[in-house]
Structures are given as C-alpha cells and as structure tokens.
Amino acid sequence: QSVLTQPPSVSAAPGQKVTISCSGSSSNIGNNYVSWYQQLPGTAPKLLIYENNKRPSGIPDRFSGSKSGTSATLGITGLQTGDEADYYCGTWDSSLSAMVFGTGTKVTVL
Amino acid sequence: EVQLVESGGGLVQPGRSLRLSCAASGFTFDDYAMHWVRQAPGKGLEWVSGISWNSGSIGYADSVKGRFTISRDNAKNSLYLQMNSLRAEDTALYYCAKGPARLWFRGGYFDYWGQGTLVTVSS
C-alpha cells in the first residue's frame, strides 16, 4: 500500500482550478521534498513539480506546488481538456529508506 | 534530448527469471543515479530499486529485496534489473527513470522516464 494518500478523483470545468492533496507523515513529506507527476492516458509519467514548488523547464505556470507540515498540494489553474490525466505525488521516506508515491488522483475536465 | 529505452519484458512463468535493460542517451549517464519504477495494470506507481552513479550504493523496495538485483554499465550507458523468483504480483510495466543527483537516495524525484517494458508473470 502507498504511504501517501491522495483523493481518487477531482473534476472541474474548463478554465477552472483544481487542487490535489497528498497526505503523509513526518518520515516522508514532513521532512523531505515533494514531487508531482502527470501521467496522460497510455503514456509514461512526466515530472511536473520538484522540491515542493519548482517547475522543470517547459512546464507551464498553470501548475503549482506547495507543502505544509505533512501534506502537499498540487494546483492546476486554467484547466484544459489536455490536463485530463492521473497525477501522483512522490517523496523520500526516511523510515522505509525508499522512494514512495501517492495513491494517485484522476483529473477529469467536465 | 534525454532518452531512456527499456527492453527485455515478456511473459514468464512464476518462479522463473527475467532481465530488463534500459539504454540511456542524451545526458552524461555516469553522473546520475538511476531507478526502476513499476506500475501494475490499472494501479499506481511503485518504486522498485535505485543505484548510485558508481554502483557504490543501491536500494530496493521491501517487495523485491532478495529477488531483484539492479546494476549498471556506465561504459555502455545501460541500466539493468535482474528479476529472479518472479511472482504473479510482479506483473507490471517497468519504467527506467533518471534521478537528479549522483546518489540514489538524494534528490527525491525522477526527472526523466522511459516508456516502459511490460512484464507478465503467469503460468
């Protein structure tokens, strides 16, 4: 089982904003950087956010990340049909000595 | 352009072995840690194993510890995963992923991913 918990799904109309939460503990999110990945249908995951709130080159600023305590949040503004995908959070877990991922969230554009 | 191309997947019987490969290009391979991440059909992502730039440090998920062995050949820009004693629950798409740092336990993210190779364990 994943040690990071995400909502199974979120949805909103085009142009609107969605937020995806990622809940963990002091052994993972609480003391380590969080990353976020987008997985479009049938494709490999793609890095969206690293070190809590940094965007790799080429990722639009519609995507943002934040962290507070043992939780992290991914925000997507100006929602587009092309944003329909599964989104995963990830981090290092100091107790497990392993990389861990969230349960994943499916974003639907209504 | 960074490219990671996995190969070696296929159908294998429970208890048998399989070796996956990942050919890397577009970056200085021996400057970075590399990882394997898998995704069972219809399920989420699971980190499998990581290896530091010089193979000096290696980590495994508890689910594969003692059965899988990660290795790399920096002269060939290649990453490998030797999978022994395969089980039905190892059935998944296996991704090769690049870490942002030399040590596999540093950085905490994966900046590039391959397209994956499918491993099916079934009799």
Side-chain angles (χ1 to χ4, degrees):
Chain A
Q1 286 95 332
S2 299
V3 298
L4 306 179
T5 303
Q6 300 178 231
S9 64
V10 297
S11 61
Q16 297 299 303
K17 175 181 179 179
V18 294
T19 60
I20 300 171
S21 60
C22 175
S23 178
S25 68
S26 58
S27 67
N28 42 66
I29 292 177
N31 286 284
N32 295 287
Y33 286 125
V34 176
S35 54
W36 289 91
Y37 306 87
Q38 177 193 59
Q39 188 174 32
L40 296 169
T43 70
K46 175 184 176 182
L47 179 65
L48 276 184
I49 298 288
Y50 67 100
E51 293 180 1
N52 299 337
N53 54 19
K54 298 178 182 177
R55 283 176 286 105
S57 174
I59 300 300
D61 59 7
R62 300 188 298 107
F63 295 91
S64 64
S66 64
K67 188 184 99 166
S68 178
T70 59
S71 292
T73 301
L74 174 71
I76 311 174
T77 59
L79 204 59
Q80 302 174 359
T81 55
D83 296 333
E84 286 201 330
D86 293 322
Y87 292 82
Y88 295 90
C89 57
T91 188
W92 171 255
D93 191 296
S94 308
S95 293
L96 298 174
S97 294
M99 295 292 298
V100 293
F101 290 100
T103 48
T105 299
K106 183 176 183 60
V107 169
T108 300
V109 182
L110 301 172
Chain B
E1 178 195 5
V2 173
Q3 283 200 321
L4 299 170
V5 180
E6 303 92 337
S7 61
L11 174 63
V12 61
Q13 293 179 327
R16 303 298 291 265
S17 300
L18 205 60
R19 188 194 196 207
L20 306 183
S21 300
C22 170
S25 61
F27 65 102
T28 304
F29 183 73
D30 56 11
D31 267 350
Y32 296 96
M34 296 295 295
H35 300 260
W36 289 99
V37 177
R38 69 184 180 183
Q39 186 170 35
K43 302 297 184 181
L45 302 172
E46 180 188 16
W47 174 80
V48 173
S49 182
I51 184 169
S52 294
W53 65 287
N54 63 352
S55 305
S57 179
I58 286 173
Y60 297 99
D62 286 344
S63 57
V64 306
K65 203 170 291 183
R67 299 187 299 122
F68 289 12
T69 302
I70 191 172
S71 62
R72 64 189 294 163
D73 185 336
N74 288 343
K76 295 183 177 180
N77 287 353
S78 294
L79 176 72
Y80 306 101
L81 186 67
Q82 177 67 42
M83 304 185 295
N84 298 332
S85 303
L86 282 161
R87 307 167 179 168
E89 53 264 36
D90 296 319
T91 294
L93 188 60
Y94 284 73
Y95 294 104
C96 167
K98 174 185 169 295
R102 286 193 161 195
L103 301 176
W104 70 271
F105 49 87
R106 294 284 186 230
Y109 63 93
F110 312 99
D111 51 9
Y112 293 94
W113 300 64
Q115 288 305 304
T117 186
L118 181 63
V119 173
T120 303
V121 184
S122 175
S123 54

